[in-house]
Amino acid sequence: MSHPRPGRASVVTRPFWEATAEGRFLIQRCGACHKAAFYPRPACPHCGSAELGWEDACGAATVHTFSIARRPTHPKFTGDEPYVVAIVELAEGPHVTTNIVECDPDDVWIGMPVELVFDEVGDDGYALALFRPT
Ligand SMILES: [Zn+2]
């Protein structure tokens, strides 16, 4: 599988992407309001504080919503269809846009427990975070 990559990581997103090469999924935790956040950003989406630190997500999540792509939405997905594009809710709370893999797309359901699995590390040194049924 050679899916589109994230491109050049910014100073804000680089810690997240570098951790993916080690099989780690980092979220941010606010030092002011203590809420978790994803995707990487310079200020807390809940209170606006810049006191964001990194922590490892445990990898457990549930399917919040999903769609089955029966035609490729990008040439690099040709041959993968049908595939599942989903938003999962991490155990820590934040939502992540991802793919559900290692199952029949018709077996995916809202509320389904899933776990983190990484795609291969690409030439850029980063891996894509995917989820599979537990
Ligand atoms: Zn905050």
Side-chain angles (χ1 to χ4, degrees), residues 23-38:
R24 299 166 58 214
F25 189 101
L26 298 182
I27 58 174
Q28 291 174 301
R29 177 79 61 184
C30 179
C33 74
H34 308 291
K35 291 181 179 172
F38 184 82

Side-chain angles (χ1 to χ4, degrees), residues 35-117:
K35 291 181 179 172
F38 184 82
Y39 51 91
R41 52 190 115 199
C44 175
H46 307 288
C47 75
S49 170
E51 287 182 55
L52 289 171
W54 296 100
E55 68 178 43
D56 286 88
C58 73
T62 55
V63 174
H64 178 73
T65 190
F66 71 99
S67 182
I68 300 173
R70 298 190 186 277
R71 295 182 193 175
T73 53
H74 184 282
K76 286 195 171 185
F77 289 96
T78 300
D80 289 349
E81 68 277 16
Y83 57 91
V84 178
V85 179
I87 296 173
V88 301
E89 183 175 308
L90 299 176
E92 293 83 0
H95 289 185
V96 178
T97 302
T98 186
N99 295 120
I100 307 299
V101 296
E102 299 182 27
C103 68
D104 185 326
D106 290 324
D107 290 341
V108 176
W109 46 279
I110 291 171
M112 179 182 202
V114 290
E115 64 183 5
L116 180 64
V117 58

Side-chain angles (χ1 to χ4, degrees), residues 6-29 37-42 52-57 118 124-127 129:
R8 189 174 301 142
S10 72
V11 65
V12 174
T13 64
R14 187 169 296 116
F16 170 80
W17 286 112
E18 289 181 349
T20 65
E22 303 166 359
R24 299 166 58 214
F25 189 101
L26 298 182
I27 58 174
Q28 291 174 301
R29 177 79 61 184
F38 184 82
Y39 51 91
R41 52 190 115 199
L52 289 171
W54 296 100
E55 68 178 43
D56 286 88
F118 280 98
D124 52 12
Y126 306 143

